Amino acid sequence: MTHPFPVKVVALQAGVSVATVDRVIKQRGGVHANTVRRVTQALDELARQSTQVGLSGKKFMFDVLMVAPRRFTDAVRAALEAQLPSLQPAVLRSRFHLHETLEVQGIVEQLERIRKNGSHGVLLKAPDLPPVAEAVNRLAAAGIPVVTLVTDLPACARRAYVGMDNRAAGETAAYLLGQWLGATRKKQQVLVTLSSNRFHGEEEREIGFRRALRERYRHVSIVEVSEGHGIDGATGALVRQALAAHPGIAAVYSIGGGNAAIVQAFAGAGRHCQVFIGHDLDADNLALLTSGAIHAVLHHDLGQDMRRACQELLRAQGALPPLAQPAPLSAIQVVTPWNLPPLN
């Protein structure tokens, strides 16, 4: 296993000892398969962040722990790594702990491992549950700041939340859906899909959506499905069940993703979806918007979010001056097939 990086740099990136990295690289055996994967992942991360390796200046190592579908974590990873060089003279590197699903105990264990190994800060997307909040409090007490991404953990000692106003996003979705469904007062149903009701951000979107419908569009009722984790297989199965049980569903507000599977479920049932609103310009949604399968995506600029999140962690470390007032939440962008950004 050849690579251009010093063993101690790989060990820091992987969060393991120099001796362990040496055993893995020289393929001497006796190392747990998970540790081998961690070292291999560290080499991949170093290769992608090679512009940061070896630079002079104060160095910071951040950890990114996210529980989200891979299409979204891939987008976050790319956005973050694109921002790292722009934050010089500080030299930033990031270690990634990305999971499509992970039980709360696994999340807590990973946060505890980060605390014990040391870190200059954590970017976290995780469910809003007491054990997770308590783990964040322990990190803060150890001097490791935490910034929550996309979904907040408000009842803990996190440094800041970075993302959109999720309640306003839900209200925006309701406004668009109500306008596009038309002025009819005929009873209509909208399918609301969440990846999990344990995420604070998704709960806030649903609250905003319900409130706006109640105020403006009382003829529209909600059918909710949850716990598909934004993964196509599980989400598709839940949507197929909902369509079979509710023949009046005419629209979708997808809070938690898995949109390709939702589109396929409608097609498989021979059903027409009048209005489909989703979140985030990941690869799936770009393709679905381009084809006209979905009608609008509520988006926030991940590049700006990652830059702001890193700046919050640098401020916590004293590497940037404090802000005079809290930074605003991310702007909510309504993207349709007519204002798509240029595709690479």
Side-chain angles (χ1 to χ4, degrees):
M1 187 183 296
T2 59
H3 63 90
F5 308 110
V7 172
K8 66 179 182 180
V9 172
V10 181
L12 177 62
Q13 189 73 27
V16 299
S17 69
V18 169
T20 297
V21 171
D22 188 67
R23 291 189 70 86
V24 172
I25 289 171
K26 294 179 180 176
Q27 299 180 323
R28 292 207 302 264
V31 181
H32 194 281
N34 287 340
T35 305
V36 173
R37 282 194 292 272
R38 184 63 198 139
V39 172
T40 302
Q41 180 181 326
L43 291 171
D44 290 340
E45 291 170 358
L46 286 168
R48 288 194 306 271
Q49 301 171 35
S50 59
T51 56
Q52 301 296 97
V53 179
L55 288 178
S56 60
K58 189 166 184 181
K59 293 180 170 62
F60 298 91
M61 177 67 78
F62 295 154
D63 286 271
V64 183
L65 173 55
M66 299 187 71
V67 182
R70 181 170 178 177
R71 60 182 173 275
F72 185 69
T73 58
D74 283 349
V76 169
R77 185 205 294 266
L80 176 58
E81 290 179 341
Q83 291 296 317
L84 295 183
S86 71
L87 293 161
Q88 294 175 16
V91 180
L92 278 63
R93 297 216 313 271
S94 51
R95 296 180 291 220
F96 292 91
H97 318 271
L98 309 177
H99 307 270
E100 289 204 303
T101 60
L102 187 63
E103 292 301 320
V104 62
Q105 185 57 38
I107 297 170
V108 170
E109 288 172 358
Q110 292 231 324
L111 292 173
E112 285 297 298
R113 195 173 302 120
I114 290 168
R115 184 179 66 83
K116 291 175 182 177
N117 289 339
S119 178
H120 291 108
V122 178
L123 304 180
L124 178 65
K125 180 184 182 296
D128 183 18
L129 296 170
V132 179
E134 291 162 8
V136 170
N137 290 341
R138 288 191 291 272
L139 284 165
I144 300 174
V146 176
V147 169
T148 53
L149 298 174
V150 183
T151 182
D152 200 9
L153 282 78
C156 71
R158 54 99 169 114
R159 165 83 184 189
Y161 161 71
V162 171
M164 66 170 64
D165 181 333
N166 284 302
R167 194 167 293 201
E171 292 168 340
T172 301
Y175 173 77
L176 294 173
L177 185 138
Q179 292 293 305
W180 287 341
L181 281 178
T184 177
R185 291 299 159 184
K186 177 184 174 183
K187 294 291 185 181
Q188 294 174 298
Q189 288 182 311
V190 56
L191 179 67
V192 175
T193 64
L194 297 88
S195 70
S196 173
N197 56 24
R198 300 185 304 172
F199 286 101
H200 181 79
E202 294 195 16
E203 182 182 49
E204 286 288 289
R205 291 174 186 178
E206 185 190 19
I207 290 171
F209 186 74
R210 285 182 181 274
R211 183 170 67 185
L213 287 185
R214 188 167 58 248
E215 290 178 356
R216 289 174 170 265
Y217 312 105
R218 289 184 172 272
H219 62 289
V220 180
S221 61
I222 289 174
V223 175
E224 178 189 320
V225 299
S226 183
E227 308 311 314
H229 304 290
I231 298 170
D232 283 352
T235 301
L238 289 169
V239 172
R240 287 192 295 273
Q241 292 171 12
L243 291 175
H246 301 278
I249 291 173
V252 172
Y253 175 36
S254 173
I255 293 174
N259 294 340
I262 298 172
V263 169
Q264 291 169 3
F266 270 82
R271 300 272 287 277
H272 172 62
C273 183
Q274 269 185 264
V275 184
F276 193 133
I277 298 170
H279 275 270
D280 301 315
L281 276 182
D282 56 36
D284 279 8
N285 282 342
L286 281 169
L288 292 168
L289 275 170
T290 301
S291 70
I294 63 178
H295 303 96
V297 165
L298 303 181
H299 182 61
H300 51 114
D301 189 320
L302 283 178
Q304 290 184 8
D305 284 357
M306 293 305 104
R307 183 175 180 82
R308 183 189 154 206
C310 289
Q311 288 172 335
E312 287 289 348
L313 293 180
L314 290 173
R315 287 189 188 95
Q317 296 294 343
L320 286 176
L323 292 174
Q325 56 187 14
L329 296 176
S330 305
I332 301 168
Q333 304 172 18
V334 179
V335 182
T336 72
W338 305 106
N339 65 336
L340 284 171
L343 299 179
N344 296 327

